[in-house]
Amino acid sequence: MELQHVLVGPRLRLRPLKASDFDALYAAASDPLIWEQHPAPDRHEKRVFEQFFNRSLKSRGALTILDKATDEIIGTSRYYDAEGKDSVCIGFTFLTRPYWGGGHNRELKFLMLDHAFIYVRRALFHVGERNLRSRKAMEKIGAKLVGRLDRQKPDGSPDPTVVFEIKRP
């Protein structure tokens, strides 16, 4: 599967994440309210975000999200854990708050799903169990809750995660 394809919708443009995106993406991510329900609520801190950004670059599946009208960087998302021709995970997504609630997340997810379904039959989404905002967003786009993972954070603390699925039509 081509994990870093340029994807264009009515309001958004997604392109491969580049090292030169760091400053603009950190500026977008520095709002603590973006991360308040997230399993990594300190990701707005520069040192924590830098680790996230470097992992994203190394993943070779991360995409930078731009507002098509302004060319402003407004977030990121990633394809990961591509399992042959069966499935791919979509996640590590955030959008700046001005882009919440207006259909931008829906557009983002459907751009990524349409591309993924060229290659795989299903997409999985891992969401922090207590991240109610993201769980509701998954339900709004038609994702079905299919499981739970008992993960651990790098510090060893529990990181309960729920799994949502969308199958290729």
Side-chain angles (χ1 to χ4, degrees), residues 144-160:
K144 303 292 183 223
L145 182 63
V146 295
R148 186 176 190 280
L149 301 172
D150 289 316
R151 298 173 143 179
Q152 288 188 335
K153 295 179 186 177
D155 68 4
S157 62
D159 185 16

Side-chain angles (χ1 to χ4, degrees), residues 38-39 80-81 83 88-93 123-129 131 134-135 138 146-149 151 159-165:
H38 193 271
Y80 64 101
D81 289 350
E83 299 172 10
V88 67
C89 295
I90 296 173
F92 296 96
T93 304
L124 301 173
F125 302 84
H126 300 136
V127 178
E129 187 173 63
N131 189 340
S134 291
R135 290 179 70 160
M138 289 287 95
V146 295
R148 186 176 190 280
L149 301 172
R151 298 173 143 179
D159 185 16
T161 302
V162 292
V163 181
F164 287 87
E165 174 187 67

Side-chain angles (χ1 to χ4, degrees), residues 75-88:
T76 187
S77 193
R78 184 187 323 172
Y79 292 113
Y80 64 101
D81 289 350
E83 299 172 10
K85 294 192 184 267
D86 184 45
S87 68
V88 67

Side-chain angles (χ1 to χ4, degrees), residues 14-66:
L14 285 62
R15 61 154 172 79
L17 179 70
K18 302 182 288 193
S20 61
D21 291 335
F22 179 82
D23 289 335
L25 198 57
Y26 175 65
S30 63
D31 178 353
L33 292 178
I34 291 173
W35 309 103
E36 72 179 346
Q37 292 184 25
H38 193 271
D42 58 351
R43 193 167 283 160
H44 61 91
E45 296 175 14
K46 192 169 189 172
R47 66 172 179 74
V48 177
F49 183 79
E50 190 168 25
Q51 294 169 356
F52 166 78
F53 184 84
N54 290 334
R55 283 191 305 271
S56 294
L57 273 178
K58 287 179 186 170
S59 77
R60 300 183 188 268
L63 299 166
T64 300
I65 306 164
L66 299 106

Side-chain angles (χ1 to χ4, degrees), residues 63-120:
L63 299 166
T64 300
I65 306 164
L66 299 106
D67 179 317
K68 214 167 100 174
T70 65
D71 215 33
E72 175 186 5
I73 291 177
I74 61 168
T76 187
S77 193
R78 184 187 323 172
Y79 292 113
Y80 64 101
D81 289 350
E83 299 172 10
K85 294 192 184 267
D86 184 45
S87 68
V88 67
C89 295
I90 296 173
F92 296 96
T93 304
F94 82 88
L95 290 168
T96 58
R97 284 192 293 147
Y99 295 88
W100 291 2
H104 291 87
N105 186 53
R106 173 184 282 281
E107 181 177 329
L108 162 68
K109 293 299 193 301
F110 282 120
L111 285 169
M112 293 182 75
L113 286 165
D114 286 348
H115 177 69
F117 289 153
I118 294 169
Y119 304 95
V120 299

